[in-house]
Amino acid sequence: MGPHPAVAAIRLAVRRVLHEVLTDHAELLSATSHASPLPHASSLPHASPTPHSPLADDAYPLVLVACSGGADSMALASALAFEAPKLRVRAGAVTVDHGLQAGSDLRAAEVVARLRAMRLDPVESVAVTVGLESTRVAHSAPNTGGGGRRAGGPEAAARDARYAALDDAAERHRAAAVLLGHTRDDQAETVLLGLARGSGIRSLSGMAAVSGTAGRYRRPFLHLDRQTARKACLVQSIPVWDDPHNADPAYTRSRLRHEGLPALEKALGKGVVEALARTAQLSRDDADALDAWAADAEGTVRDETGQLACAGLYALPPAVRRRVLRRAAIAAGAPAGSLFARHIEEVDRLITGWRGQGAINLPGRVEARRQGGRLVIRQG
């Protein structure tokens, strides 16, 4: 008799991602060191990792799972622990202690113990300090420096601190990938939050299955619902921790999860989550195509001095033109995370609604100005 359907589903999702990681790692080795590519996973003998086995060799990639102790990430950790040894992938884990609740350090220690019991290695807890104005990352591992500072509200600050800690852990351990437990339900919530912000098709595309520097972050569960992960933990008797913040109405995502989405399903019927997740993928495909179009178009609308020609910009479709403007602003020094739709709309009016208006000030001390039929975007 095979595993429970929920367990089989999470293991299959992780197995597919590990095959992708193996392929990417083999190509990287071949390109950087002219080494022989790794043999296909199916030709490797099944073996459990030991400190003196070939799994400890850098030729075999290390994959970390980001684990909070919740059902989604514990299900992900269990599937990684099961699948990685069969594919000769080294498997480890990182849990981030945000320090936002009393006893969070004890919770992190419990998660570490459970992950080590799964025979994941390395396993570490990373403490971060989250504030409304800034966040500081403090690593539990020795000989690591302090983290950077991030601006934003509580949710954004916690997210920034978490990813900073995960990035640092991945770099210190030279991990090929970090697995994240975001589910289809998380994707639906992200799409609705993007819709509420009115920030365009890229925001509606939600979370990518692969993201981060060199495709570091992988999300195997984006096509699985939250209940599948929880059921997988239940049938395997895996203890899980339910973060009280996930039920706290003070947080926007929590209100959306417990009030907004249920109200939508009551009004529109079941299937809202699946439809929103499908919208995310369709939006991502469209956004990727438009971004590629804009990258090609930018070279055609610059004159012999390298400046953007207003006539050429005006002839572009609005969605492509705004992307060209955004690319140019970022290239001039505007921080991408601080460059919002309203900024680009004001710059766009220098092309489509020119009435002699002055320069537009953008984040990063960048300004956009129309001069003699050209659009000049530069710092200072």
Side-chain angles (χ1 to χ4, degrees), residues 21-359:
V21 171
L22 278 170
T23 299
D24 293 346
H25 188 69
E27 292 175 352
L28 178 63
L29 284 180
S30 179
T32 59
S33 64
H34 303 289
S36 299
L38 288 175
H40 191 274
S42 62
S43 68
L44 293 169
H46 291 187
S48 297
T50 66
H52 305 292
S53 75
L55 285 172
D57 192 298
D58 284 344
Y60 297 95
L62 170 65
V63 173
L64 299 174
V65 58
C67 187
S68 67
D72 301 343
S73 59
M74 288 301 290
L76 183 57
S78 71
L80 177 63
F82 182 83
E83 294 292 339
K86 299 192 296 180
L87 298 177
R88 303 297 292 271
V89 171
R90 295 176 294 139
V94 178
T95 186
V96 178
D97 175 13
H98 296 86
L100 297 176
Q101 302 164 18
S104 62
D105 55 336
L106 298 177
R107 187 274 309 167
E110 290 176 1
V111 173
V112 166
R114 290 170 185 168
L115 294 169
R116 285 177 176 160
M118 294 178 180
R119 301 185 68 186
L120 296 174
D121 181 39
V123 174
E124 68 177 30
S125 170
V126 180
V128 299
T129 301
V130 180
L132 289 177
E133 296 181 356
S134 64
T135 63
R136 180 172 57 82
V137 182
H139 308 292
S140 63
N143 301 321
T144 59
R149 295 186 177 273
R150 309 272 182 170
E155 291 173 283
R159 181 176 59 251
D160 285 348
R162 181 166 57 254
Y163 278 101
L166 293 174
D167 279 336
D168 180 82
E171 289 166 8
R172 282 186 287 108
H173 294 292
R174 297 198 301 173
V178 178
L179 305 189
L180 304 175
H182 296 122
T183 65
R184 186 170 62 193
D185 301 79
D186 297 307
Q187 184 75 299
E189 293 161 8
T190 302
V191 172
L192 283 177
L193 289 170
L195 183 63
R197 287 192 296 265
S199 44
I201 193 171
R202 178 56 72 185
S203 188
L204 294 183
S205 64
M207 296 174 286
V210 180
S211 65
T213 303
R216 168 177 292 159
Y217 293 107
R218 311 287 177 120
R219 297 176 174 87
F221 290 175
L222 283 183
H223 66 289
L224 299 176
D225 60 34
R226 192 173 287 139
Q227 282 304 114
T228 297
R230 185 168 288 275
K231 185 67 174 178
C233 289
L234 179 64
V235 299
Q236 295 178 100
S237 300
I238 297 174
V240 300
W241 173 70
D242 290 314
D243 186 349
H245 282 174
N246 289 337
D248 188 344
Y251 295 95
T252 304
R253 187 176 286 268
S254 175
R255 295 195 301 273
L256 182 60
R257 179 175 301 177
H258 298 287
E259 301 173 22
L261 270 173
L264 281 175
E265 290 197 333
K266 182 177 180 180
L268 302 176
K270 294 293 183 181
V272 169
V273 168
E274 293 87 341
L276 288 169
R278 189 164 56 251
T279 296
Q281 185 56 60
L282 293 171
S283 297
R284 182 166 297 279
D285 292 344
D286 289 349
D288 288 346
L290 287 169
D291 286 347
W293 187 353
D296 291 339
E298 185 174 359
T300 69
V301 295
R302 290 191 181 273
D303 61 18
E304 63 280 359
T305 68
Q307 299 294 339
L308 292 167
C310 293
L313 287 168
Y314 186 86
L316 293 174
V320 178
R321 181 175 60 247
R322 287 192 291 267
R323 280 168 167 78
V324 171
L325 297 177
R326 178 178 173 80
R327 286 170 57 89
I330 292 171
S338 302
L339 197 60
F340 302 132
R342 66 177 184 272
H343 296 127
I344 302 305
E345 287 169 1
E346 288 300 317
V347 177
D348 195 41
R349 289 192 184 98
L350 295 177
I351 308 300
T352 61
W354 173 243
R355 298 182 183 86
Q357 59 264 47

